[in-house]
Amino acid sequence: MKRIKAACLYQTIHFQLKDGISAEFNRRQARQEYENYKAHLNQSRTQYRIMEEEE
């Protein structure tokens, strides 16, 4: 029987900004959503590597 030892998935995630809301509030909301996403990955012990981060 063969088993997968490792796999690689390259994924781009775009956290959308909402219309009609101030730019600063939008940035804070997107940053918070991003931090929550990373916290969830850490909590589930998912191994990940951030190749590039752009704001």
Side-chain angles (χ1 to χ4, degrees), residues 7-47:
C8 179
L9 173 68
Y10 185 78
Q11 186 176 28
T12 300
I13 300 175
H14 181 124
F15 294 95
Q16 294 283 15
L17 302 179
K18 296 178 181 158
D19 294 333
I21 300 176
S22 73
E24 181 59 34
F25 183 74
N26 256 332
R27 278 197 282 297
R28 280 185 289 167
Q29 288 293 95
R31 173 58 68 179
Q32 184 63 42
E33 188 176 355
Y34 170 66
E35 294 300 330
N36 289 342
Y37 183 76
K38 286 194 327 184
H40 175 71
L41 291 174
N42 290 331
Q43 186 178 25
S44 63
R45 295 183 179 163
T46 301
Q47 292 182 3

